[in-house]
Every structure is written in structure tokens, then in C-alpha cells.
Coordinates of all heavy atoms in Angstrom, one line a residue:
R931 N -77.9 -42.6 14.8 CA -78.7 -42.0 15.7 C -79.2 -43.0 16.7 O -79.2 -42.7 17.9 CB -79.9 -41.3 15.0 CG -80.8 -40.6 16.0 CD -82.2 -40.6 15.4 NE -83.2 -40.1 16.3 CZ -83.9 -40.8 17.2 NH1 -83.7 -42.1 17.3 NH2 -84.7 -40.2 18.0
D932 N -79.7 -44.1 16.3 CA -80.2 -45.1 17.2 C -79.1 -45.6 18.1 O -79.4 -45.9 19.3 CB -80.9 -46.3 16.4 CG -82.2 -45.9 15.9 OD1 -82.8 -44.8 16.3 OD2 -82.7 -46.6 15.0
L933 N -77.9 -45.9 17.6 CA -76.9 -46.4 18.4 C -76.5 -45.3 19.5 O -76.3 -45.7 20.7 CB -75.6 -46.7 17.6 CG -75.8 -47.9 16.7 CD1 -74.6 -48.1 15.8 CD2 -75.9 -49.2 17.6
L934 N -76.5 -44.1 19.2 CA -76.2 -43.0 20.1 C -77.2 -43.0 21.2 O -77.0 -42.9 22.4 CB -76.1 -41.7 19.4 CG -74.8 -41.4 18.7 CD1 -74.9 -40.1 17.9 CD2 -73.6 -41.4 19.6
L935 N -78.5 -43.1 20.8 CA -79.6 -43.2 21.7 C -79.4 -44.3 22.7 O -79.6 -44.1 23.9 CB -80.9 -43.3 21.0 CG -82.2 -43.4 21.8 CD1 -82.5 -42.1 22.5 CD2 -83.3 -43.8 21.0
L936 N -79.1 -45.5 22.2 CA -78.9 -46.6 23.1 C -77.7 -46.5 24.0 O -77.8 -46.8 25.2 CB -78.8 -47.9 22.3 CG -80.1 -48.4 21.6 CD1 -79.8 -49.5 20.7 CD2 -81.2 -48.8 22.6
K937 N -76.6 -45.9 23.5 CA -75.4 -45.7 24.3 C -75.7 -44.7 25.4 O -75.2 -44.8 26.6 CB -74.3 -45.1 23.5 CG -73.6 -46.1 22.6 CD -73.0 -47.3 23.3 CE -71.7 -47.0 23.9 NZ -71.0 -48.2 24.4
A938 N -76.6 -43.8 25.2 CA -76.9 -42.7 26.2 C -78.1 -43.2 27.1 O -78.7 -42.4 27.8 CB -77.4 -41.4 25.5
K939 N -78.4 -44.5 27.0 CA -79.5 -45.1 27.8 C -80.8 -44.5 27.6 O -81.7 -44.4 28.5 CB -79.1 -45.0 29.3 CG -77.8 -45.5 29.7 CD -77.7 -47.0 29.5 CE -76.3 -47.5 30.0 NZ -75.7 -48.5 29.2
G940 N -81.1 -44.1 26.3 CA -82.4 -43.5 25.9 C -83.5 -44.6 25.8 O -83.1 -45.8 25.8
S941 N -84.6 -44.1 25.7 CA -85.8 -45.0 25.6 C -85.8 -45.8 24.3 O -85.7 -45.1 23.2 CB -87.1 -44.3 25.8 OG -88.2 -45.1 25.5
E942 N -86.1 -47.1 24.3 CA -86.2 -47.8 23.1 C -87.4 -47.4 22.3 O -87.4 -47.6 21.1 CB -86.3 -49.3 23.4 CG -85.0 -49.9 23.9 CD -85.1 -51.4 24.1 OE1 -85.7 -52.1 23.3 OE2 -84.5 -51.9 25.1
E943 N -88.3 -46.8 22.9 CA -89.5 -46.3 22.2 C -89.1 -45.2 21.2 O -89.9 -44.9 20.2 CB -90.6 -45.8 23.2 CG -91.2 -46.9 24.0 CD -92.2 -46.4 25.0 OE1 -92.5 -45.2 25.0 OE2 -92.6 -47.2 25.9
M944 N -88.0 -44.6 21.4 CA -87.6 -43.5 20.6 C -86.7 -43.9 19.4 O -86.4 -43.2 18.5 CB -86.7 -42.5 21.4 CG -87.6 -41.8 22.4 SD -86.6 -40.6 23.4 CE -86.1 -39.4 22.2
L945 N -86.5 -45.2 19.3 CA -85.7 -45.8 18.1 C -86.5 -45.6 16.9 O -87.6 -45.8 16.8 CB -85.4 -47.3 18.4 CG -84.5 -47.7 19.5 CD1 -84.4 -49.2 19.6 CD2 -83.1 -47.1 19.2
I946 N -85.7 -45.2 15.9 CA -86.3 -45.1 14.5 C -86.4 -46.5 13.9 O -87.4 -46.8 13.2 CB -85.5 -44.2 13.6 CG1 -85.6 -42.8 14.1 CG2 -85.9 -44.3 12.2 CD1 -84.7 -41.8 13.4
N947 N -85.4 -47.3 14.1 CA -85.4 -48.7 13.5 C -85.7 -49.7 14.6 O -84.8 -50.6 14.8 CB -84.0 -48.9 12.9 CG -83.7 -47.9 11.8 OD1 -84.3 -48.0 10.7 ND2 -82.8 -47.0 12.0
R948 N -86.9 -49.7 15.0 CA -87.3 -50.6 16.1 C -87.2 -52.1 15.7 O -86.9 -52.9 16.5 CB -88.7 -50.3 16.6 CG -88.8 -49.0 17.4 CD -90.2 -48.9 18.0 NE -90.3 -47.5 18.3 CZ -91.5 -46.9 18.5 NH1 -92.6 -47.7 18.4 NH2 -91.6 -45.7 18.8
D949 N -87.4 -52.3 14.4 CA -87.4 -53.7 13.9 C -86.0 -54.3 14.0 O -85.8 -55.5 13.9 CB -87.9 -53.8 12.5 CG -87.4 -52.8 11.5 OD1 -87.0 -51.7 12.0 OD2 -87.4 -53.0 10.3
Y950 N -84.9 -53.4 14.2 CA -83.6 -53.9 14.3 C -83.0 -53.7 15.7 O -81.8 -53.7 16.0 CB -82.6 -53.1 13.3 CG -82.9 -53.5 11.9 CD1 -83.6 -52.6 11.1 CD2 -82.5 -54.7 11.3 CE1 -83.9 -52.9 9.7 CE2 -82.8 -54.9 10.0 CZ -83.4 -54.0 9.2 OH -83.7 -54.4 7.9
S951 N -83.9 -53.5 16.7 CA -83.5 -53.2 18.0 C -82.6 -54.2 18.7 O -81.6 -53.8 19.3 CB -84.7 -52.9 18.9 OG -85.4 -54.1 19.1
H952 N -82.8 -55.5 18.4 CA -81.9 -56.5 19.0 C -80.5 -56.4 18.4 O -79.5 -56.6 19.2 CB -82.5 -57.9 18.8 CG -82.6 -58.3 17.3 ND1 -83.6 -57.8 16.5 CD2 -82.0 -59.2 16.6 CE1 -83.5 -58.3 15.3 NE2 -82.5 -59.1 15.3
I953 N -80.4 -56.1 17.1 CA -79.0 -55.9 16.5 C -78.4 -54.6 17.0 O -77.2 -54.6 17.4 CB -79.2 -55.9 15.0 CG1 -79.7 -57.2 14.5 CG2 -77.8 -55.5 14.3 CD1 -80.0 -57.2 13.0
L954 N -79.2 -53.6 17.1 CA -78.7 -52.3 17.6 C -78.2 -52.4 19.0 O -77.1 -51.8 19.4 CB -79.7 -51.2 17.5 CG -80.1 -50.8 16.0 CD1 -81.4 -49.9 16.1 CD2 -78.9 -50.0 15.4
K955 N -78.9 -53.1 19.9 CA -78.5 -53.3 21.3 C -77.1 -54.0 21.3 O -76.3 -53.6 22.1 CB -79.5 -54.1 22.1 CG -80.7 -53.3 22.4 CD -81.7 -54.2 23.2 CE -83.1 -53.7 23.1 NZ -84.0 -54.6 23.7
N956 N -77.0 -55.0 20.5 CA -75.8 -55.8 20.5 C -74.6 -55.0 20.1 O -73.5 -55.0 20.7 CB -76.0 -57.0 19.6 CG -74.8 -58.0 19.7 OD1 -74.0 -58.0 20.6 ND2 -74.8 -58.9 18.7
V957 N -74.8 -54.2 19.0 CA -73.7 -53.4 18.5 C -73.4 -52.3 19.5 O -72.2 -51.9 19.7 CB -74.1 -52.8 17.1 CG1 -73.1 -51.7 16.7 CG2 -74.2 -53.9 16.1
S958 N -74.4 -51.7 20.1 CA -74.1 -50.6 21.0 C -73.3 -51.0 22.2 O -72.6 -50.2 22.8 CB -75.5 -49.9 21.5 OG -76.1 -50.8 22.4
R959 N -73.4 -52.3 22.6 CA -72.6 -52.8 23.7 C -71.1 -52.9 23.3 O -70.2 -52.8 24.2 CB -73.1 -54.2 24.2 CG -74.3 -54.1 25.0 CD -74.7 -55.5 25.5 NE -76.1 -55.7 25.4 CZ -76.7 -56.5 24.5 NH1 -76.0 -57.3 23.7 NH2 -78.0 -56.6 24.4
R960 N -70.8 -53.1 22.0 CA -69.4 -53.3 21.6 C -68.7 -52.0 21.1 O -67.5 -52.1 20.9 CB -69.5 -54.3 20.5 CG -69.9 -55.7 21.0 CD -69.8 -56.8 19.9 NE -70.9 -56.6 19.0 CZ -70.9 -56.7 17.7 NH1 -69.7 -56.9 17.1 NH2 -71.9 -56.5 17.0
I961 N -69.5 -51.0 20.8 CA -68.9 -49.8 20.2 C -68.8 -48.7 21.2 O -69.6 -48.5 22.0 CB -69.7 -49.4 18.9 CG1 -68.9 -48.4 18.1 CG2 -71.0 -48.8 19.3 CD1 -69.4 -48.2 16.7
K962 N -67.7 -47.9 21.0 CA -67.5 -46.8 21.9 C -68.2 -45.5 21.4 O -68.3 -45.4 20.1 CB -66.0 -46.4 22.0 CG -65.1 -47.5 22.6 CD -63.7 -47.1 22.6 CE -62.8 -48.2 22.9 NZ -61.4 -47.9 22.7
I963 N -68.7 -44.7 22.3 CA -69.4 -43.5 21.9 C -68.5 -42.6 21.0 O -69.0 -42.0 20.1 CB -70.1 -42.8 23.1 CG1 -71.1 -41.8 22.5 CG2 -69.1 -42.1 23.9 CD1 -72.1 -41.4 23.6
E964 N -67.2 -42.6 21.4 CA -66.3 -41.7 20.6 C -66.2 -42.2 19.1 O -66.1 -41.4 18.2 CB -64.9 -41.8 21.2 CG -64.8 -41.2 22.6 CD -65.2 -42.1 23.8 OE1 -65.5 -43.3 23.5 OE2 -65.4 -41.6 24.9
S965 N -66.2 -43.5 18.9 CA -66.2 -44.1 17.6 C -67.5 -43.7 16.8 O -67.4 -43.4 15.6 CB -66.0 -45.6 17.6 OG -64.8 -45.9 18.1
L966 N -68.6 -43.8 17.5 CA -69.9 -43.4 16.9 C -69.8 -41.9 16.4 O -70.2 -41.6 15.3 CB -71.0 -43.5 17.8 CG -71.5 -45.0 18.0 CD1 -72.6 -45.0 19.1 CD2 -72.1 -45.5 16.8
L967 N -69.4 -41.1 17.3 CA -69.3 -39.6 17.0 C -68.3 -39.4 15.9 O -68.6 -38.6 14.9 CB -68.9 -38.8 18.2 CG -69.9 -38.8 19.4 CD1 -69.4 -38.1 20.6 CD2 -71.2 -38.1 18.9
E968 N -67.2 -40.0 15.9 CA -66.2 -39.8 14.8 C -66.8 -40.3 13.5 O -66.6 -39.8 12.4 CB -64.9 -40.6 15.1 CG -63.8 -40.3 14.2 CD -63.4 -38.9 14.1 OE1 -63.4 -38.2 15.1 OE2 -63.0 -38.5 13.0
S969 N -67.6 -41.4 13.5 CA -68.2 -41.9 12.3 C -69.2 -40.9 11.7 O -69.2 -40.7 10.5 CB -69.0 -43.2 12.6 OG -68.1 -44.2 13.0
I970 N -69.9 -40.2 12.6 CA -70.8 -39.2 12.1 C -70.0 -38.1 11.5 O -70.4 -37.5 10.4 CB -71.7 -38.7 13.3 CG1 -72.7 -39.8 13.7 CG2 -72.4 -37.4 12.9 CD1 -73.4 -39.5 15.0
F971 N -68.9 -37.7 12.1 CA -68.0 -36.6 11.5 C -67.5 -37.0 10.1 O -67.5 -36.2 9.2 CB -66.9 -36.3 12.4 CG -67.3 -35.7 13.7 CD1 -66.7 -36.0 14.9 CD2 -68.3 -34.7 13.8 CE1 -67.1 -35.4 16.1 CE2 -68.7 -34.1 15.0 CZ -68.1 -34.5 16.1
V972 N -67.1 -38.3 10.0 CA -66.6 -38.8 8.7 C -67.7 -38.7 7.7 O -67.5 -38.2 6.5 CB -66.1 -40.3 8.8 CG1 -65.9 -40.9 7.4 CG2 -64.9 -40.3 9.6
L973 N -68.9 -39.1 8.0 CA -70.0 -39.1 7.0 C -70.4 -37.6 6.7 O -70.7 -37.3 5.5 CB -71.2 -39.9 7.6 CG -71.0 -41.4 7.7 CD1 -72.1 -42.0 8.4 CD2 -70.7 -42.0 6.3
N974 N -70.4 -36.7 7.7 CA -70.7 -35.3 7.4 C -69.7 -34.7 6.5 O -70.1 -33.9 5.6 CB -70.8 -34.6 8.8 CG -72.1 -34.8 9.5 OD1 -73.1 -35.2 8.9 ND2 -72.1 -34.5 10.8
R975 N -68.4 -35.0 6.7 CA -67.4 -34.5 5.9 C -67.6 -35.0 4.4 O -67.4 -34.2 3.5 CB -66.0 -34.9 6.4 CG -64.9 -34.3 5.7 CD -63.6 -34.6 6.4 NE -63.9 -35.3 7.7 CZ -63.1 -36.1 8.4 NH1 -61.9 -36.4 8.0 NH2 -63.5 -36.7 9.5
A976 N -67.9 -36.3 4.3 CA -68.1 -36.8 3.0 C -69.3 -36.1 2.3 O -69.2 -35.8 1.1 CB -68.3 -38.3 3.1
Q977 N -70.3 -35.9 3.0 CA -71.5 -35.2 2.4 C -71.1 -33.8 2.0 O -71.5 -33.4 0.9 CB -72.6 -35.1 3.5 CG -73.9 -34.5 2.9 CD -75.0 -34.4 3.9 OE1 -74.8 -34.7 5.1 NE2 -76.2 -34.1 3.5
R978 N -70.4 -33.1 2.8 CA -69.9 -31.7 2.4 C -69.1 -31.8 1.2 O -69.2 -30.9 0.3 CB -69.2 -31.0 3.6 CG -70.1 -30.5 4.7 CD -69.3 -29.6 5.6 NE -68.0 -30.1 6.0 CZ -67.8 -30.9 7.1 NH1 -68.7 -31.2 7.9 NH2 -66.5 -31.3 7.4
D979 N -68.1 -32.8 1.1 CA -67.3 -32.9 0.0 C -68.1 -33.2 -1.3 O -67.8 -32.6 -2.4 CB -66.2 -33.9 0.2 CG -65.1 -33.5 1.2 OD1 -65.0 -32.3 1.5 OD2 -64.4 -34.4 1.6
L980 N -69.1 -34.0 -1.2 CA -69.9 -34.3 -2.4 C -70.7 -33.1 -2.8 O -70.9 -32.9 -4.0 CB -70.8 -35.5 -2.0 CG -70.2 -36.8 -1.9 CD1 -71.1 -37.9 -1.4 CD2 -69.5 -37.3 -3.2
E981 N -71.2 -32.3 -1.8 CA -71.9 -31.1 -2.2 C -71.0 -30.1 -2.9 O -71.5 -29.2 -3.6 CB -72.5 -30.4 -0.9 CG -73.7 -31.3 -0.4 CD -74.2 -30.8 1.0 OE1 -73.5 -29.9 1.7 OE2 -75.2 -31.4 1.5
K982 N -69.7 -30.2 -2.6 CA -68.8 -29.3 -3.3 C -68.3 -29.8 -4.6 O -67.3 -29.4 -5.2 CB -67.6 -29.1 -2.4 CG -67.8 -28.3 -1.1 CD -66.6 -28.2 -0.3 CE -66.9 -27.4 1.0 NZ -65.8 -27.4 1.9
N983 N -69.0 -30.9 -5.1 CA -68.7 -31.5 -6.3 C -67.3 -32.1 -6.4 O -66.7 -32.1 -7.5 CB -68.9 -30.5 -7.6 CG -70.4 -30.2 -7.7 OD1 -71.2 -31.0 -7.6 ND2 -70.7 -28.9 -7.9
R984 N -66.9 -32.6 -5.3 CA -65.6 -33.3 -5.3 C -65.8 -34.7 -6.0 O -66.9 -35.1 -6.2 CB -65.1 -33.5 -3.9 CG -64.9 -32.2 -3.2 CD -63.4 -31.8 -3.1 NE -63.2 -30.4 -2.7 CZ -63.1 -30.0 -1.5 NH1 -63.2 -30.8 -0.5 NH2 -62.9 -28.7 -1.3
N985 N -64.7 -35.3 -6.4 CA -64.7 -36.6 -7.1 C -65.5 -37.6 -6.2 O -65.0 -38.0 -5.1 CB -63.3 -37.1 -7.4 CG -63.2 -38.3 -8.2 OD1 -63.9 -39.3 -7.8 ND2 -62.5 -38.3 -9.3
T986 N -66.6 -38.1 -6.7 CA -67.5 -39.0 -5.9 C -66.8 -40.2 -5.4 O -66.9 -40.6 -4.3 CB -68.7 -39.4 -6.8 OG1 -69.4 -38.1 -7.2 CG2 -69.7 -40.2 -6.0
M987 N -66.0 -40.9 -6.3 CA -65.4 -42.1 -6.0 C -64.3 -41.9 -4.9 O -64.2 -42.7 -4.0 CB -64.8 -42.8 -7.2 CG -65.8 -43.5 -8.1 SD -67.0 -44.6 -7.3 CE -65.8 -45.9 -6.8
V988 N -63.6 -40.9 -5.1 CA -62.5 -40.6 -4.1 C -63.1 -40.3 -2.7 O -62.7 -40.8 -1.7 CB -61.6 -39.4 -4.6 CG1 -60.7 -38.9 -3.5 CG2 -60.9 -39.8 -5.8
V989 N -64.2 -39.5 -2.7 CA -64.9 -39.1 -1.4 C -65.4 -40.4 -0.8 O -65.2 -40.6 0.5 CB -66.0 -38.1 -1.7 CG1 -66.9 -38.0 -0.4 CG2 -65.4 -36.8 -2.1
I990 N -66.1 -41.3 -1.5 CA -66.7 -42.4 -1.0 C -65.6 -43.4 -0.5 O -65.7 -44.0 0.6 CB -67.6 -43.2 -2.0 CG1 -68.8 -42.3 -2.2 CG2 -68.0 -44.6 -1.6 CD1 -69.7 -42.7 -3.3
E991 N -64.6 -43.6 -1.3 CA -63.4 -44.5 -0.9 C -62.8 -44.0 0.4 O -62.5 -44.8 1.3 CB -62.4 -44.6 -2.0 CG -62.9 -45.4 -3.1 CD -61.9 -45.4 -4.3 OE1 -60.7 -45.0 -4.1 OE2 -62.2 -45.9 -5.4
S992 N -62.6 -42.7 0.5 CA -61.9 -42.1 1.7 C -62.8 -42.4 2.9 O -62.3 -42.7 4.0 CB -61.7 -40.7 1.5 OG -61.2 -40.1 2.7
A993 N -64.1 -42.1 2.8 CA -65.1 -42.3 3.9 C -65.1 -43.7 4.3 O -65.1 -44.0 5.5 CB -66.5 -41.8 3.5
V994 N -65.2 -44.6 3.4 CA -65.3 -46.1 3.8 C -64.0 -46.5 4.5 O -64.1 -47.2 5.5 CB -65.5 -46.9 2.5 CG1 -65.3 -48.4 2.8 CG2 -67.0 -46.7 2.0
L995 N -62.8 -46.1 4.0 CA -61.6 -46.4 4.6 C -61.5 -45.9 6.1 O -61.1 -46.5 7.0 CB -60.4 -46.0 3.8 CG -60.1 -46.7 2.5 CD1 -59.0 -46.0 1.7 CD2 -59.8 -48.1 2.8
N996 N -62.0 -44.6 6.2 CA -62.0 -44.0 7.6 C -63.0 -44.8 8.5 O -62.6 -45.0 9.7 CB -62.4 -42.6 7.5 CG -61.3 -41.7 7.0 OD1 -60.1 -41.9 7.3 ND2 -61.6 -40.7 6.2
L997 N -64.1 -45.2 7.9 CA -65.0 -46.0 8.8 C -64.5 -47.3 9.2 O -64.7 -47.8 10.3 CB -66.4 -46.1 8.1 CG -67.2 -44.8 7.9 CD1 -68.4 -45.0 6.9 CD2 -67.6 -44.2 9.2
I998 N -63.8 -48.0 8.2 CA -63.2 -49.3 8.5 C -62.1 -49.1 9.6 O -62.1 -49.9 10.5 CB -62.5 -49.9 7.3 CG1 -63.7 -50.3 6.3 CG2 -61.6 -51.1 7.6 CD1 -63.2 -50.7 4.9
Q999 N -61.3 -48.1 9.6 CA -60.3 -47.8 10.6 C -61.0 -47.6 11.9 O -60.5 -48.1 12.9 CB -59.5 -46.6 10.3 CG -58.5 -46.8 9.1 CD -57.7 -45.6 8.8 OE1 -58.1 -44.5 9.0 NE2 -56.5 -45.8 8.3
L1000 N -62.1 -46.9 12.0 CA -62.8 -46.7 13.2 C -63.3 -48.0 13.8 O -63.3 -48.2 15.0 CB -63.9 -45.7 13.0 CG -63.5 -44.2 12.8 CD1 -64.7 -43.3 12.4 CD2 -62.9 -43.7 14.1
A1001 N -63.8 -48.8 12.9 CA -64.4 -50.1 13.3 C -63.3 -51.0 13.9 O -63.6 -51.8 14.8 CB -65.1 -50.8 12.1
D1002 N -62.1 -50.9 13.4 CA -61.0 -51.7 13.9 C -60.4 -51.2 15.2 O -59.7 -51.9 15.9 CB -59.9 -51.8 12.9 CG -60.3 -52.6 11.7 OD1 -61.3 -53.4 11.8 OD2 -59.6 -52.5 10.6
S1003 N -60.7 -49.9 15.6 CA -60.1 -49.4 16.8 C -61.0 -49.6 18.0 O -62.0 -50.2 18.0 CB -59.9 -47.9 16.6 OG -61.1 -47.2 16.5

């Protein structure tokens, strides 16, 4: 959420994690908004799968692998 806020040029006063603002600013300069949105979709999908009582380890491994791929792109 904070990274999206910074990418959208939102006010730093609205940051939830203000104590990490310097790190968030640095990361927000290097990451594409599309990657951020896709990361949110990956995490939402994992949450839905866990709520459906899917295999926890498989869901987590899949989500982590997807997030790593997004970070590399």
C-alpha cells in the first residue's frame, strides 16, 4: 500500500510505515507500478486459496515463486 501511494505521488503523511519511509522511497523508484499491482494479485490469490483450505505449503511456495519472478522482471 505504501509503495503504491509513493508511486502515485501521494503524501508521505499518509504512509502507514513512516519509520521505513527512506527505504520505501528507494524501492518505489526502482519498481514498476504494474509489478506492484501484480504482487497484490498474487497475494490475494494465495489468501483465497488458503481460505479454501488448499495445501498451505503449496500455496505459499507458489506465491513466493511468483513474487520472485515479479522482482526479477
